[in-house]
């Protein structure tokens, strides 16, 4: 029965600063837990992967033959807990390295599994279409396969000396409807 259903892989970080909803954060959950709750009534198989900067299970994701990967843009960024007192330029550099790892991961999956699509979410894309253009120019196999979603009510990861102030949450009914609608259209 399950082998005929499309697989969706949900990928996010357990680091508190990456978790949008305060209740989810207090329960030691991830955004992927909230997204799982939103999508669980769809005819799909959902797999969650907890991700940090040292994550290295790319082949495991490919082996699941996903139709869709839903991934937090900052899931590979572990810098915030260590950024207190560090130079902002250094913290920004660490974030850029994590973004490079994200792009390489997406490109790798697209090369290994050409049918996989990707939904990348963030509290703060400066320009979603520009970000997708940069990604597609780096990995042509991603052309037309990536959707970027800015989660309303928030901003990106905190830099040195900043705290995360966000009203973004997948528990918001409008945000939940938006991601579910995107997933349906991508499937």
């Amino acid at each position: 029965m399950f082998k005929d259903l499309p697989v969706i892989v949900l990928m996010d970080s357990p680091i508190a600063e990456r978790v949008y909803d305060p209740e989810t954060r207090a329960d030691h959950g991830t955004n992927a837990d909230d997204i799982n709750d939103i999508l669980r009534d769809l005819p799909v198989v959902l797999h969650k992967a907890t991700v940090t900067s040292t994550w290295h299970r790319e082949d495991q994701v490919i082996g699941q033959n996903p139709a869709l990967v839903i991934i937090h843009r900052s899931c590979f960024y572990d810098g915030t807990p260590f950024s207190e007192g560090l130079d902002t330029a250094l913290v920004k550099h660490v974030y850029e390295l994590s973004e490079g790892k994200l792009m390489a991961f997406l490109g790798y999956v697209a090369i290994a599994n050409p049918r996989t699509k990707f939904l990348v979410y963030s509290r703060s894309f400066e320009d979603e279409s520009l970000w997708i253009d940069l990604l597609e120019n780096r990995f042509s196999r991603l052309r037309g396969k990536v959707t970027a979603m800015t989660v309303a009510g928030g901003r990106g990861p905190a830099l040195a000396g900043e705290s995360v102030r966000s009203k973004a949450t997948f528990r918001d009914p409008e945000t939940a409807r938006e991601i579910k609608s995107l997933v349906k259209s991508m499937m």
Side-chain angles (χ1 to χ4, degrees):
M1 177 173 128
F2 289 121
K3 77 175 190 168
D4 296 330
L5 294 176
V7 172
I8 298 177
V9 177
L10 309 170
M11 300 178 69
D12 206 345
S13 171
I15 294 175
E17 290 83 4
R18 303 294 159 268
V19 181
Y20 296 171
D21 191 85
E23 192 174 322
T24 305
R25 192 177 314 120
D27 290 340
H28 304 287
T30 70
N31 298 316
D33 292 309
D34 290 338
I35 296 169
N36 185 80
D37 291 345
I38 295 165
L39 303 179
R40 68 177 169 216
D41 65 335
L42 296 179
V44 298
V45 176
L46 299 168
H47 292 283
K48 290 187 294 181
T50 302
V51 180
T52 65
S53 63
T54 59
W55 182 84
H56 57 275
R57 294 186 178 94
E58 297 87 352
D59 282 342
Q60 184 178 14
V61 171
I62 291 166
Q64 293 172 2
N65 193 27
L68 178 63
V69 172
I70 302 175
I71 189 166
H72 188 173
R73 181 181 179 195
S74 300
C75 67
F76 294 117
Y77 178 61
D78 289 353
T80 304
F82 311 107
S83 64
E84 196 65 39
L86 291 180
D87 182 327
T88 302
L90 177 60
V91 174
K92 184 179 180 198
H93 177 69
V94 172
Y95 183 79
E96 289 169 353
L97 291 173
S98 71
E99 180 124 33
K101 182 172 180 166
L102 169 69
M103 290 180 167
F105 167 72
L106 299 177
Y108 179 67
V109 173
I111 290 167
N113 190 346
R115 75 176 190 88
T116 301
K117 295 180 182 177
F118 305 89
L119 174 56
V120 181
Y121 62 89
S122 176
R123 290 177 281 201
S124 63
F125 279 103
E126 289 180 24
D127 183 333
E128 292 173 359
S129 60
L130 178 61
W131 187 82
I132 290 172
D133 286 346
L134 289 171
L135 181 61
E136 290 176 347
N137 287 334
R138 183 172 173 188
F139 296 99
S140 62
R141 299 253 181 114
L142 287 169
R143 198 161 314 284
K145 295 180 182 187
V146 179
T147 300
M149 175 187 174
T150 300
V151 178
R155 63 178 186 77
L159 296 177
E162 297 180 331
S163 63
V164 175
R165 294 174 299 277
S166 175
K167 295 180 182 172
T169 175
F170 285 104
R171 293 183 186 212
D172 173 74
E174 184 58 35
T175 303
R177 276 191 295 277
E178 181 182 358
I179 194 164
K180 192 170 195 176
S181 176
L182 280 172
V183 168
K184 286 179 177 180
S185 70
M186 294 176 78
M187 299 298 288

